[in-house]
Amino acid sequence: MGADATTSRDLLARLGDEADPRAMEAALEALAAGRFDAVFEDPAALDALAALGDRLAGALEAGAAQDASRADAQRRAWLWLDAIRRPAVQRRVAAAGAADPWLARVLRVMGASRFTVARLLEQRAERYGPRPLFRETLRGEDVSHSWFEVITRVDQLSCGFLALLDRHGRGPIAILSENRYEMALADLACLGTGLVDLMIPANATDGDVAYVLAQAEAVIAVVSTEEQLRKIERHRATLPALRAVVLLDRPAAPIPGVLSPAQLAALGRPVSAERLARERASVDTRALATVMYTSGTTGRPKGICFSQRNILSKRFARALALPEIGEQDVFLCFLPLFHTFGRFLEMMGCVFWGATYVFLRDPSVDTLRETMQRLRPTVFISVPKKWIQLWEEIGRRADLDLDPEEALRAATREVVGDRLRWGLSAAGYLAPEIFRFFQGRGIELLSGFGMTEATGGITMTPVGGDRDDSLGVPHPG
């Protein structure tokens, strides 16, 4: 159906129809699928969604829904959370100046329905199935990994981890890797199943790696390469809690006591789908979900703890701050997954928005420019150095002071591709003239400030409201 006035009114009526929950679900599904975005031109649509969210949360909090009916109520609450992340909803919230109370409502529905990373992954996989979630370049070939593939691999790894922990006892799973697809899968498997994982910087010394593994009493370690494996093996005798190591790379020769991803998946085959579902359903959204280790300013690495609520609430908050980002976007990503922006804003952001995450393993300016031209990203998040390099690369193709605007725009697109429209520079100073240059050529380059302890971003310049030397305004919430 089209989103004309009659069907829009009908949709709003269905959202408020407590006597016909199936009609209400159908209306939510239509909104979540983006078939009625135009309805949000009417402020009453946001009011109807808000009232429904309050009603769904209230019923779950009161315990009015039990057993099968509770499962139905949870499903409707999760569908509501899917519908309200649409850019059309976020724009209406921003226009109403209602970001903070709206986020409070979202958090209430999340808590009452026990919305977890597992639910988010399942929901997005059902909606986007064959579309790519991850893309990477392997041996010169572009490879796409669909939502269907990702959720299948995540389930296999989750079962493998459960089988290992059944054998050796529960404890954290450490991940020591450079950015790669298999690293993201391991992380999503842990987050999606309520298995605490530790993200250790890939450039950590072997002494710091041993310190983290010992302090956290990690039971399993996932490592990318034999070089990373050696960091652990040098101290293995001092790590009694560590019982299993998984090596993502294929070694030149079998290594005793080290599992491959295929062997890990094979170990998990006896773990039933029912067992996996029970594990995921039992996740406490406020309990420890993951620990990220940073070098800190002095001394040993510092561990910062996050819950599922931390991770997911920040995604809804960031969506309110960036209402135009959505399922059509392609993120070009080189920030490491052991970095809060790389892991939470880029990877989990792509999962949340239904966007595509592209791995950029070589961040040299030549590779960056070539990849931007070939894969045509719409979003690029970076430290200031990369924006400076892109600006300088444009300056090699045009006189930034004297050439006409048409030539500057052509040179810009020759470097960053024809679709880049969003950027963020953080973790350092970038000159105002560079911000203004990109903003003047159709790229909304924003500035921000964040800390690992805050699950990433704390402030960001508002879209269209940049000021020189400003870190912007606080995120909603």
Side-chain angles (χ1 to χ4, degrees):
M1 290 186 296
D4 57 36
T6 301
T7 56
S8 295
R9 284 197 298 270
D10 180 59
L11 188 76
L12 297 184
R14 290 182 181 187
L15 290 177
D17 190 351
E18 296 184 54
D20 191 349
R22 289 187 178 180
M24 180 262 287
E25 277 193 46
L28 278 176
E29 173 57 36
L31 289 175
R35 296 199 294 272
F36 279 85
D37 283 352
V39 75
F40 291 100
E41 295 171 7
D42 181 355
L46 190 63
D47 294 338
L49 265 186
L52 177 57
D54 291 340
R55 214 164 56 239
L56 291 169
L60 287 164
E61 290 165 348
Q66 299 295 328
D67 303 325
S69 60
R70 178 174 178 81
D72 289 340
Q74 274 187 314
R75 187 181 65 256
R76 290 169 194 138
W78 295 336
L79 191 53
W80 184 89
L81 290 169
D82 191 13
I84 61 95
R85 54 94 189 191
R86 300 286 310 175
V89 179
Q90 305 299 317
R91 285 194 294 268
R92 175 51 64 184
V93 172
D100 283 339
W102 186 260
L103 183 62
R105 176 176 292 110
V106 169
L107 294 179
R108 184 185 176 202
V109 175
M110 279 177 51
S113 66
R114 299 183 66 179
F115 189 64
T116 62
V117 171
R119 302 304 164 219
L120 176 65
L121 283 169
E122 291 169 358
Q123 195 176 65
R124 298 296 185 268
E126 288 175 4
R127 188 160 304 286
Y128 297 117
R131 291 179 54 178
L133 169 55
F134 293 112
R135 294 178 67 182
E136 60 179 338
T137 301
L138 294 176
R139 295 177 290 279
E141 296 290 329
D142 291 330
V143 179
S144 293
H145 304 283
S146 72
W147 284 89
F148 282 150
E149 177 193 329
V150 169
I151 200 72
T152 299
R153 293 284 301 277
V154 163
D155 286 353
Q156 290 171 346
L157 290 174
S158 298
C159 291
F161 286 141
L162 287 171
L164 276 180
L165 294 172
D166 286 346
R167 180 183 299 178
H168 300 302
R170 286 290 177 113
I173 298 170
I175 299 177
L176 175 64
S177 175
E178 302 78 15
N179 267 25
R180 57 192 290 169
Y181 173 54
E182 297 85 358
M183 177 193 191
L185 291 176
D187 187 26
L188 291 173
C190 292
L191 292 174
T193 315
L195 305 175
V196 176
D197 64 351
L198 321 169
M199 302 298 277
I200 305 175
N203 58 357
T205 66
D206 61 315
D208 282 348
V209 170
Y211 171 81
V212 169
L213 295 174
Q215 184 197 55
E217 297 184 324
V219 175
I220 301 170
V222 178
V223 300
S224 55
T225 64
E226 291 185 68
E227 179 183 354
Q228 299 290 10
L229 176 63
R230 285 191 288 273
K231 293 180 181 179
I232 294 175
E233 293 300 333
R234 292 185 190 113
H235 300 270
R236 190 68 179 267
T238 68
L239 301 170
L242 186 63
R243 306 300 299 275
V245 177
V246 179
L247 175 62
L248 300 179
D249 266 0
R250 179 177 295 177
I255 303 173
V258 175
L259 296 169
S260 69
Q263 290 171 318
L264 177 64
L267 282 175
R269 286 187 192 122
V271 176
S272 67
E274 293 76 17
R275 161 81 187 283
L276 184 59
R278 287 197 304 273
E279 292 282 346
R280 289 173 171 169
S282 68
V283 171
D284 181 349
T285 60
R286 291 181 178 271
L288 177 65
T290 185
V291 183
M292 294 187 74
Y293 277 86
T294 67
S295 59
T297 53
T298 59
R300 291 292 196 180
K302 313 298 190 299
I304 296 92
C305 301
F306 303 93
S307 66
Q308 300 245 339
R309 182 179 171 87
N310 291 144
I311 298 167
L312 294 172
S313 64
K314 182 54 73 74
R315 301 283 47 81
F316 284 99
R318 181 72 79 168
L320 286 166
L322 288 169
E324 299 298 332
I325 302 279
E327 60 199 20
Q328 77 284 351
D329 282 295
V330 176
F331 285 63
L332 182 59
C333 308
F334 80 94
L335 295 176
L337 291 174
F338 51 80
H339 184 288
T340 48
F341 274 6
R343 187 185 188 198
F344 294 142
L345 175 52
E346 292 184 320
M347 186 187 75
M348 287 305 303
C350 285
V351 170
F352 175 86
W353 279 304
T356 299
Y357 177 110
V358 177
F359 286 90
L360 179 68
R361 294 198 188 185
D362 175 7
S364 68
V365 68
D366 288 341
T367 302
L368 177 58
R369 180 177 61 80
E370 186 274 332
T371 306
M372 284 180 154
Q373 287 294 323
R374 182 165 47 86
L375 298 182
R376 305 171 64 217
T378 60
V379 182
F380 182 59
I381 299 168
S382 175
V383 293
K385 180 180 178 181
K386 291 301 165 190
W387 290 107
I388 294 170
Q389 290 176 334
L390 290 172
W391 180 67
E392 291 173 342
E393 194 70 15
I394 295 166
R396 295 187 182 97
R397 289 164 170 73
D399 189 316
L400 302 184
D401 296 318
L402 299 177
D403 277 356
E405 180 59 27
E406 183 179 350
L408 294 179
R409 285 182 175 269
T412 299
R413 291 302 169 181
E414 187 180 335
V415 172
V416 304
D418 62 337
R419 295 204 309 160
L420 189 69
R421 63 192 184 106
W422 296 103
L424 178 64
S425 178
Y429 177 78
L430 184 65
E433 65 180 295
I434 299 180
F435 278 106
R436 289 196 297 270
F437 178 86
F438 283 105
Q439 290 162 356
R441 275 93 208 160
I443 300 160
E444 190 65 56
L445 179 55
L446 307 172
S447 178
F449 167 77
M451 298 175 66
T452 305
E453 292 84 349
T455 328
I458 298 173
T459 69
M460 188 178 70
T461 50
V463 176
D466 182 63
R467 289 191 333 196
D468 288 356
D469 298 321
S470 169
L471 293 175
V473 298
H475 286 311

